[in-house]
Amino acid sequence: MIRLARVGARKQPHYRIVVIEKDRARNGRSIEVVGTYNPRTNPASVDLKRDRIDYWTSKGAQLSDRVGKLLANAPVEAASAA
């Protein structure tokens, strides 16, 4: 599953977007970190490794509701034609 893991100080949330087994704890050992999300900036900053997210979803990983919304709202980087 691809979901958020909370890090940061009390009342200052910052999240990692992680690939983790569904039955593990929220901040348990993850398989891979595929991005970050900081809701405290204006606008909220989202950094995603889209190629790794596509890889894991092709292997059967499911997105959590929040990660799905972040992925849908994140700007798509234009691929540069070389």
Side-chain angles (χ1 to χ4, degrees), residues 16-42:
R16 289 184 184 139
I17 301 169
V18 297
V19 178
I20 192 168
E21 293 177 27
K22 189 175 180 93
D23 56 345
R24 287 204 185 265
R26 179 193 71 191
N27 290 343
R29 187 179 63 187
S30 62
I31 298 170
E32 182 178 359
V33 176
V34 293
T36 58
Y37 168 57
N38 187 356
R40 300 192 77 231
T41 59
N42 191 8

Side-chain angles (χ1 to χ4, degrees), residues 12-74:
Q12 296 180 2
H14 186 83
Y15 299 91
R16 289 184 184 139
I17 301 169
V18 297
V19 178
I20 192 168
E21 293 177 27
K22 189 175 180 93
D23 56 345
R24 287 204 185 265
R26 179 193 71 191
N27 290 343
R29 187 179 63 187
S30 62
I31 298 170
E32 182 178 359
V33 176
V34 293
T36 58
Y37 168 57
N38 187 356
R40 300 192 77 231
T41 59
N42 191 8
S45 61
V46 180
D47 180 33
L48 300 169
K49 298 178 187 173
R50 287 201 183 256
D51 56 335
R52 296 305 294 165
I53 292 172
D54 292 339
Y55 168 78
W56 282 109
T57 52
S58 72
K59 295 292 182 186
Q62 298 175 345
L63 300 174
S64 69
D65 293 338
R66 178 56 54 190
V67 172
K69 289 177 184 179
L70 290 174
L71 199 59
N73 294 337

